Amino acid sequence: AQKVTQAQTEISVVEKEDVTLDCVYETRDTTYYLFWYKQPPSGELVFLIRRNSFDEQNEISGRYSWNFQKSTSSFNFTITASQVVDSAVYFCALSEARRAGNMLTFGGGTRLMVKP
Amino acid sequence: DAGVIQSPRHEVTEMGQEVTLRCKPISGHDYLFWYRQTMMRGLELLIYFNNNVPIDDSGMPEDRFSAKMPNASFSTLKIQPSEPRDSAVYFCAITPAGLSSGRNEQFFGPGTRLTVL
């Protein structure tokens, strides 16, 4: 069965610090997709990134970077030089190609608080 | 950009009343999903549709919950009768049309915050 674990329920940092949000997943499928979503205090869920299981290349987008390691079943998310606007709940999610539809399994989320 | 409109944004009702939540995708999609988010249970998938047909409703908590999708541009989630434990944020999400299974990100609407007194 598929499962996503975000062990850090809450992280607090001071502005300009780097912070890494952990995500560990379980799946029996060889083809799967991993996602990160951001939920700011306003409540909407914002898509950040999708990663395919066959592409382990790390990705950087501005201050955001993602480290995908199949060997440890992890898909961690790093924010460099954090800002107050990064304060949000971040969700990691998994989708398996063999499952009908595009069903996502979400982790429990990590609440990030960036203090000025 | 895929877009989803949900209404109402906030709903406060009394126990026993019927509640109808609405979702209107404003871009092409293959799948439409209804989720519920609570502090205790996190994000839960309630039901999803493919080309307007309900595919999996195993997440619907009870018979009090029902969902319909009469056309590609509209879906409803109804709770009758409502109970205080139904208080949550309900999200509608879509995946863009034309991409194959599993690889699609879902785009979420702003959610409806339901409070049942």
Side-chain angles (χ1 to χ4, degrees), chain B residues 8-80:
Chain B
R9 295 294 307 276
H10 302 272
E11 177 82 25
V12 180
T13 190
E14 292 189 347
M15 182 174 63
Q17 296 297 307
E18 177 180 296
V19 175
T20 299
L21 310 181
R22 297 173 177 79
C23 174
K24 183 174 181 178
I26 56 176
S27 57
H29 60 89
D30 283 338
Y31 294 90
L32 184 142
F33 304 80
W34 281 100
Y35 289 88
R36 176 172 69 175
Q37 186 179 34
T38 61
M39 289 294 293
M40 291 296 294
R41 302 170 74 98
L43 273 162
E44 303 174 275
L45 175 64
L46 300 177
I47 185 172
Y48 77 95
F49 296 83
N50 179 211
N51 294 325
N52 312 338
V53 177
I55 302 300
D56 186 342
D57 65 353
S58 60
M60 297 285 260
E62 303 171 30
D63 291 344
R64 298 184 297 106
F65 285 69
S66 62
K68 293 182 180 179
M69 193 163 183
N71 58 65
S73 301
F74 188 62
S75 177
T76 60
L77 178 67
K78 184 178 293 187
I79 308 172
Q80 166 64 21

Side-chain angles (χ1 to χ4, degrees), chain B residues 76-101:
Chain B
T76 60
L77 178 67
K78 184 178 293 187
I79 308 172
Q80 166 64 21
S82 58
E83 296 183 3
R85 60 193 167 124
D86 301 331
S87 298
V89 180
Y90 291 82
F91 288 101
C92 177
I94 61 169
T95 55
L99 298 179
S100 54
S101 177

Side-chain angles (χ1 to χ4, degrees), chain A residues 32-33 35 37 39 42-47 50 52 54 91 95-104 106-108 111, chain B residues 9 30-31 33 35 37 39 42-43 45 48 55-56 89 91 95 99-110 113:
Chain A
Y32 53 89
Y33 305 88
F35 305 81
Y37 284 83
Q39 188 173 37
S42 51
E44 70 273 24
L45 278 154
V46 179
F47 165 74
R50 180 192 69 216
N52 307 330
F54 42 86
F91 291 95
S95 172
E96 296 173 321
R98 64 179 175 84
R99 295 185 73 191
N102 293 277
M103 295 174 66
L104 290 177
F106 283 90
R111 181 178 299 277
Chain B
R9 295 294 307 276
D30 283 338
Y31 294 90
F33 304 80
Y35 289 88
Q37 186 179 34
M39 289 294 293
L43 273 162
L45 175 64
Y48 77 95
I55 302 300
D56 186 342
V89 180
F91 288 101
T95 55
L99 298 179
S100 54
S101 177
R103 67 181 64 186
N104 296 348
E105 51 270 30
Q106 294 181 17
F107 294 96
F108 285 75
R113 182 173 295 277

Side-chain angles (χ1 to χ4, degrees), chain A residues 6-60:
Chain A
Q6 295 179 255
Q8 307 148 307
T9 54
E10 205 166 284
I11 301 175
S12 181
V13 299
V14 177
E15 203 169 22
K16 297 184 183 177
E17 284 185 18
D18 298 348
V19 58
T20 295
L21 311 181
D22 298 333
C23 173
V24 174
Y25 61 91
E26 295 177 28
T27 177
R28 294 179 183 172
D29 212 347
T30 56
T31 302
Y32 53 89
Y33 305 88
L34 297 162
F35 305 81
W36 276 95
Y37 284 83
K38 175 182 180 180
Q39 188 173 37
S42 51
E44 70 273 24
L45 278 154
V46 179
F47 165 74
L48 295 178
I49 190 173
R50 180 192 69 216
R51 210 83 192 120
N52 307 330
S53 57
F54 42 86
D55 181 3
E56 286 192 71
Q57 200 169 21
N58 291 330
E59 183 154 340
I60 298 175

